[in-house]
C-alpha cells in the first residue's frame, strides 16, 4: 500500500494516541466495542476509520506485538499506555499503510499527546531497533506459539483438541479481515436486481445463499443502495442460515429468545408471515431491534426480559418455532471482535455453557408439541456446542435432534465467505 500523509487535524500521531488509549483499556479487560462507542464523543479522535483500523489491526496481531515489545524492551511489563502505543505503532509499520519514518516520527509525537514525554526516546529506539532486527525477530517469533498464531495459548489448545484437522485454518481465519455480506429484504427488492445495481455503482458482489450478496470489498452502509429504504441489511452469510433451518410457515408463533441486535428476527419476518416475539435482556439493545425492524418495514412484539425468567415475559401461549441464539464466547467471530481473544479466559467457557444449558431448559416448556427449537452459537468450542446439546438431550426424553437441511454440518467453520457458527435443531414430538 502507499504511504499516508495525513492532514494536521487528522494526523497519525492523533490516531495512534486515541488507539493506544483504547487498546490499553482493552488490555485491562474492557470491551473494544464499548470503548469505541465511548470514544465517539471524545475530541482526541482524528479519524474514526483510522482509529478502527489501528485498534482492530493491533488486537488481531496482539500476541505478535506483545512478543516483539517484550523481546526488544527486555522487560515483562512496562507503562501500560506506552506499551499500547508501541503495539499500535508496530501494527502501523507492518500494515504497509504508512512510510516507516512517518510511523516512527508520529509515534514519538503521540508520546507527547499521552503526556509520556520521558518515553519518547524509548519509543523511538524500540521501533527503530525493530526495523533493523526484523529478520532475526521473525525467527524467534516462530517459537512463540501466541506470537505465531496470535491467540492465547489456552484458546489454541482448545481449538487444536476440538478440530485436529482444521485448527490452523480456524486460527488463521481469526486473524483476517471479516467479509461483508448483505441480506436482501425480498419484500422490498430482488437479490439479483440489487446485485446488478451494486455493480452499476462500482460495488462488486456475488450471490451467496437465497438472499445473500457477498461484497468483494467492505463499504460503509451509507454507500449501499436501498439500505435506508429497508431493501438490504448487513448480515454474515453464516448467520443467514438460521432461517433456512427453522422451516418457517405463515401463521406460526415464533420466539427469538436472545434477539439483539435483531438481524435474525428481521430475516424471519422477511421470510414468512409469522407472529414474532423478540426478547433481549438489555433495554438499549431492544431499542436497536425496534429501529432495525422499523427501517425494514417489519413489526414484532419486542420485550426486554431474561428469557430464563418465564414469569417476566411469557403469556402461556406455546410457540411453533423457537430460536435460541445464545450468548457465547464469540470464538467463531473473533476477527470481527478481536478483543475477545484477549479478554476471554479459559474459565469463562464452563460458565458460558452453564448459562446456555439454563436457557435451553427454560425455553423447552414454551415450545409446542411438534415444534422445533434451533440452538445457535457463534462459537467453535465444543463445550458450548455439542456438549450442551448432548447434556440437554440426556435429560429431556421428549426431545430429539434432527439433521440439518441438505445435510449441512452442525459446525460451520469460519472461512473467507462467512464466520463460524454452530447449529442444532431440536424437535418436541407430538
Amino acid at each position: 500500500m502507499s504511504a499516508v500523509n495525513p492532514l494536521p487535524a487528522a494526523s497519525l500521531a492523533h490516531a495512534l494516541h486515541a488507539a493506544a488509549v483504547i487498546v490499553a483499556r482493552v488490555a485491562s479487560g474492557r470491551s473494544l466495542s464499548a470503548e469505541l462507542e465511548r470514544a465517539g464523543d471524545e475530541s482526541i479522535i482524528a479519524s474514526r476509520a483510522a482509529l478502527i483500523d489501528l485498534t482492530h489491526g493491533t488486537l488481531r496481531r496482539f500476541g505478535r506485538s506483545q512478543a516483539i515489545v517484550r523481546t526488544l524492551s527486555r522487560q515483562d511489563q512496562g507503562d501500560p499506555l506506552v506499551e499500547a502505543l508501541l503495539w499500535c505503532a508496530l501494527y502501523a509499520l507492518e500494515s504497509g499503510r504508512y512510510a516507516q519514518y512517518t510511523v516512527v516520527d508520529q509515534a514519538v509525537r503521540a508520546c507527547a499527546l499521552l503526556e509520556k514525554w520521558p518515553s519518547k526516546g524509548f519509543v523511538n529506539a524500540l521501533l527503530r531497533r525493530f526495523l533493523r532486527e526484523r529478520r532475526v525477530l521473525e525467527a524467534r517469533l516462530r517459537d512463540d506459539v501466541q506470537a505465531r498464531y496470535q491467540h492465547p495459548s489456552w484458546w489454541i489448545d482448545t481449538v487444536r483438541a476440538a478440530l485436529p484437522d482444521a485448527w490452523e485454518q480456524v486460527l488463521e481465519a481469526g486473524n483476517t479481515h471479516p467479509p461483508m455480506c448483505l441480506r436482501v429484504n425480498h419484500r422490498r427488492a430482488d437479490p439479483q436486481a440489487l446485485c446488478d445495481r451494486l455493480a452499476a455503482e462500482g460495488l462488486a458482489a456475488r450471490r451467496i445463499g437465497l438472499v445473500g450478496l457477498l461484497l468483494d470489498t467492505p463499504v460503509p452502509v451509507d454507500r449501499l443502495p436501498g439500505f435506508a429504504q429497508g431493501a438490504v441489511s448487513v448480515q454474515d452469510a453464516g448467520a443467514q442460515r438460521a432461517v433456512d433451518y427453522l422451516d418457517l410457515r405463515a401463521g406460526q408463533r415464533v420466539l427469538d429468545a436472545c434477539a439483539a441486535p435483531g438481524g435474525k428476527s428481521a430475516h424471519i419476518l422477511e421470510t414468512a408471515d409469522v407472529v414474532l416475539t423478540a426478547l433481549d435482556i438489555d433495554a438499549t439493545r431492544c431499542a436497536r431491534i425496534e429501529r432495525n425492524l422499523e427501517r425494514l418495514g417489519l413489526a414484532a412484539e419486542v420485550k426486554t426480559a431474561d428469557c430464563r425468567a418465564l414469569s417476566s415475559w411469557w403469556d402461556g401461549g406455546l410457540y411453533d418455532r423457537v430460536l435460541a441464539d445464545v450468548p457465547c464466547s464469540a470464538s467463531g467471530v473473533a476477527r470481527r471482535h478481536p478483543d475477545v481473544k484477549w479478554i476471554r479466559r479459559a474459565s469463562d467457557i464452563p460458565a458460558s455453557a452453564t448459562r446456555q444449558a439454563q436457557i435451553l431448559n427454560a425455553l423447552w416448556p414454551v415450545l409446542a408439541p411438534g415444534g422445533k427449537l434451533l440452538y445457535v452459537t457463534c462459537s467453535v468450542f465444543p463445550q458450548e456446542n455439542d456438549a450442551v446439546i448432548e447434556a440437554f438431550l440426556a435429560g429431556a426424553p421428549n426431545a430429539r435432534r434432527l439433521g440439518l437441511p441438505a445435510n449441512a454440518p452442525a459446525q460451520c467453520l469460519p472461512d473467507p465467505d462467512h464466520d463460524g457458527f454452530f447449529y442444532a435443531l431440536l424437535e418436541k414430538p407430538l
Side-chain angles (χ1 to χ4, degrees):
M1 294 184 185
S2 60
V4 173
N5 183 24
L7 298 171
S11 70
L12 180 57
H14 285 276
L16 284 168
H17 167 214
V21 170
I22 289 174
V23 169
R25 290 172 181 164
V26 171
S28 71
R30 306 275 189 86
S31 159
L32 175 58
S33 59
E35 290 303 316
L36 283 170
E37 186 174 344
R38 172 183 172 183
D41 297 326
E42 294 180 5
S43 60
I44 59 172
I45 295 180
S47 162
R48 188 160 184 85
L51 180 67
I52 290 173
D53 175 58
L54 285 169
T55 53
H56 284 67
T58 297
L59 291 167
R60 287 192 187 104
R61 304 168 67 85
F62 194 41
R64 174 182 173 83
S65 298
Q66 282 183 307
I68 291 171
V69 171
R70 190 165 56 245
T71 299
L72 294 180
S73 65
R74 295 191 178 91
Q75 58 186 23
D76 288 334
Q77 189 170 4
D79 182 289
L81 273 176
V82 175
E83 284 199 331
L85 173 61
L86 287 167
W87 299 331
C88 294
L90 286 168
Y91 166 70
L93 282 171
E94 296 195 299
S95 71
R97 298 182 189 279
Y98 311 95
Q100 292 177 354
Y101 70 86
T102 299
V103 175
V104 176
D105 172 69
Q106 295 291 295
V108 172
R109 292 174 184 268
C111 272
L113 297 174
L114 291 166
E115 300 183 358
K116 299 292 180 181
W117 298 283
S119 297
K120 290 170 68 174
F122 170 67
V123 168
N124 180 66
L126 189 141
L127 293 176
R128 290 184 181 278
R129 187 180 170 198
F130 165 72
L131 292 171
R132 289 196 309 270
E133 301 179 13
R134 197 168 182 172
R135 290 185 179 179
V136 176
L137 277 168
E138 291 294 346
R140 288 192 199 176
L141 293 178
R142 281 194 290 270
D143 297 326
D144 186 320
V145 175
Q146 288 196 170
R148 180 178 176 184
Y149 293 108
Q150 300 175 67
H151 287 71
S153 295
W154 71 266
W155 189 305
I156 296 168
D157 293 342
T158 302
V159 175
R160 180 158 42 192
L163 302 163
D165 297 325
W167 67 277
E168 288 184 295
Q169 166 201 328
V170 170
L171 295 176
E172 178 58 32
N175 299 326
T176 61
H177 287 271
M180 184 174 183
C181 188
L182 310 181
R183 186 191 73 244
V184 179
N185 180 359
H186 78 90
R187 294 181 184 274
R188 294 193 170 184
D190 174 75
Q192 187 57 53
L194 188 56
C195 189
D196 295 341
R197 184 178 173 189
L198 288 169
E201 299 194 17
L203 302 175
R206 61 180 172 86
R207 298 283 301 275
I208 184 169
L210 293 175
V211 293
L213 299 176
L214 191 65
L215 294 177
D216 283 3
T217 304
V219 296
V221 294
D222 57 12
R223 283 198 59 196
L224 297 174
F227 181 83
Q229 295 74 34
V232 67
S233 300
V234 178
Q235 186 183 40
D236 185 77
Q240 292 183 34
R241 297 181 183 185
V243 164
D244 298 335
Y245 300 158
L246 277 170
D247 183 26
L248 297 168
R249 300 170 194 172
Q252 289 176 332
R253 277 172 51 89
V254 180
L255 171 67
D256 187 353
C258 309
K264 294 183 181 69
S265 284
H267 195 189
I268 288 169
L269 293 167
E270 291 168 0
T271 302
D273 293 321
V274 301
V275 179
L276 178 70
T277 302
L279 305 180
D280 199 84
I281 199 169
D282 184 273
T284 301
R285 288 163 61 83
C286 280
R288 186 176 174 189
I289 296 172
E290 291 175 327
R291 289 195 300 272
N292 282 336
L293 294 180
E294 182 180 5
R295 179 179 63 83
L296 295 163
L298 304 168
E301 182 181 28
V302 180
K303 294 184 176 182
T304 301
D306 183 338
C307 65
R308 295 171 293 183
L310 298 189
S311 62
S312 69
W313 64 269
W314 188 35
D315 62 5
L318 297 176
Y319 291 93
D320 302 294
R321 298 289 185 268
V322 174
L323 174 61
D325 187 5
V326 298
C328 68
S329 63
S331 53
V333 294
R335 58 187 173 189
R336 295 189 189 276
H337 308 284
D339 55 321
V340 303
K341 295 189 291 185
W342 307 104
I343 63 177
R344 295 279 190 267
R345 299 291 179 264
S347 58
D348 294 335
I349 308 309
S352 177
T354 297
R355 179 169 58 170
Q356 292 157 351
Q358 291 171 348
I359 291 173
L360 264 181
N361 285 310
L363 294 177
W364 194 247
V366 313
L367 183 67
K372 296 176 183 178
L373 182 151
L374 184 64
Y375 175 87
V376 185
T377 75
C378 54
S379 173
V380 296
F381 296 156
Q383 299 94 322
E384 300 181 287
N385 297 336
D386 272 317
V388 172
I389 294 300
E390 289 167 5
F392 173 75
L393 291 172
N398 65 335
R400 68 185 182 112
R401 186 171 181 178
L402 304 177
L404 297 174
N407 296 315
Q411 182 68 73
C412 168
L413 298 178
D415 68 17
D417 288 352
H418 55 71
D419 292 332
F421 290 89
F422 174 83
Y423 288 101
L425 186 61
L426 307 179
E427 183 180 56
K428 181 182 285 187
L430 291 169

